[in-house]
Amino acid sequence: MMTDNIFLKIINRQIPATIAYEDDHCLAFHDINPQAPIHVLIIPKKVIVAHDEIAAEDGELLGRMHVAAARLARDLGLNDGYRLAIHRREKAGHTVPHLPMHLVGGRSLPWPPG
């Protein structure tokens, strides 16, 4: 298991972050390089390196991440809409070996992105 990445250091409070939500299974914090007025990363406390490494037993954990995202969206006032994104591989913006779910909102989010 990967034991030394920036997200684990945030979970373990070894480096500071602006925490938006936490429960026994996941942690959410504001992105230090936000792509919108609201940009929160929701990460599992269990290390899952990437989306394509999700196992069947991780289904409940991923559901909990979605529940956290919905709660955060309500709490952060994203009533007009938001986007959830999970990136895989560096070309898509995945740079830390720990699965993040991005909650982005507070501005128009046209499709397709980029």
Side-chain angles (χ1 to χ4, degrees), residues 73-74 77-81:
R74 283 190 302 274
L78 296 175
N79 302 322
D80 290 341

PDB file of all heavy atoms in Angstrom, residues 73-74 77-81:
ATOM      1  N   ALA A  73     -22.297  19.784  -1.592  1.00  0.00           N
ATOM      2  CA  ALA A  73     -22.926  20.652  -2.587  1.00  0.00           C
ATOM      3  C   ALA A  73     -24.052  21.464  -1.951  1.00  0.00           C
ATOM      4  O   ALA A  73     -24.160  22.667  -2.186  1.00  0.00           O
ATOM      5  CB  ALA A  73     -23.432  19.831  -3.764  1.00  0.00           C
ATOM      6  N   ARG A  74     -24.869  20.802  -1.134  1.00  0.00           N
ATOM      7  CA  ARG A  74     -25.938  21.528  -0.424  1.00  0.00           C
ATOM      8  C   ARG A  74     -25.346  22.541   0.542  1.00  0.00           C
ATOM      9  O   ARG A  74     -25.740  23.715   0.551  1.00  0.00           O
ATOM     10  CB  ARG A  74     -26.832  20.544   0.341  1.00  0.00           C
ATOM     11  CG  ARG A  74     -27.814  19.790  -0.503  1.00  0.00           C
ATOM     12  CD  ARG A  74     -28.818  19.011   0.350  1.00  0.00           C
ATOM     13  NE  ARG A  74     -28.189  18.051   1.256  1.00  0.00           N
ATOM     14  CZ  ARG A  74     -27.861  16.807   0.934  1.00  0.00           C
ATOM     15  NH1 ARG A  74     -28.099  16.343  -0.288  1.00  0.00           N
ATOM     16  NH2 ARG A  74     -27.303  16.007   1.820  1.00  0.00           N
ATOM     17  N   GLY A  77     -23.917  25.626  -1.025  1.00  0.00           N
ATOM     18  CA  GLY A  77     -24.853  26.447  -1.793  1.00  0.00           C
ATOM     19  C   GLY A  77     -24.792  26.261  -3.293  1.00  0.00           C
ATOM     20  O   GLY A  77     -25.107  27.182  -4.042  1.00  0.00           O
ATOM     21  N   LEU A  78     -24.438  25.081  -3.739  1.00  0.00           N
ATOM     22  CA  LEU A  78     -24.347  24.827  -5.175  1.00  0.00           C
ATOM     23  C   LEU A  78     -25.703  24.410  -5.754  1.00  0.00           C
ATOM     24  O   LEU A  78     -25.813  23.407  -6.467  1.00  0.00           O
ATOM     25  CB  LEU A  78     -23.272  23.769  -5.456  1.00  0.00           C
ATOM     26  CG  LEU A  78     -21.855  24.179  -5.082  1.00  0.00           C
ATOM     27  CD1 LEU A  78     -20.884  23.024  -5.293  1.00  0.00           C
ATOM     28  CD2 LEU A  78     -21.428  25.399  -5.873  1.00  0.00           C
ATOM     29  N   ASN A  79     -26.715  25.208  -5.465  1.00  0.00           N
ATOM     30  CA  ASN A  79     -28.078  24.885  -5.884  1.00  0.00           C
ATOM     31  C   ASN A  79     -28.280  25.007  -7.386  1.00  0.00           C
ATOM     32  O   ASN A  79     -29.192  24.399  -7.944  1.00  0.00           O
ATOM     33  CB  ASN A  79     -29.067  25.791  -5.148  1.00  0.00           C
ATOM     34  CG  ASN A  79     -28.940  25.650  -3.647  1.00  0.00           C
ATOM     35  OD1 ASN A  79     -28.728  24.568  -3.133  1.00  0.00           O
ATOM     36  ND2 ASN A  79     -29.043  26.767  -2.944  1.00  0.00           N
ATOM     37  N   ASP A  80     -27.445  25.816  -8.060  1.00  0.00           N
ATOM     38  CA  ASP A  80     -27.586  26.016  -9.500  1.00  0.00           C
ATOM     39  C   ASP A  80     -26.881  24.939 -10.316  1.00  0.00           C
ATOM     40  O   ASP A  80     -26.974  24.931 -11.534  1.00  0.00           O
ATOM     41  CB  ASP A  80     -27.026  27.385  -9.903  1.00  0.00           C
ATOM     42  CG  ASP A  80     -27.894  28.526  -9.408  1.00  0.00           C
ATOM     43  OD1 ASP A  80     -29.074  28.293  -9.084  1.00  0.00           O
ATOM     44  OD2 ASP A  80     -27.380  29.656  -9.340  1.00  0.00           O
ATOM     45  N   GLY A  81     -26.142  24.065  -9.652  1.00  0.00           N
ATOM     46  CA  GLY A  81     -25.470  22.982 -10.355  1.00  0.00           C
ATOM     47  C   GLY A  81     -24.012  22.855  -9.957  1.00  0.00           C
ATOM     48  O   GLY A  81     -23.414  23.768  -9.403  1.00  0.00           O
TER      49      GLY A  81
END
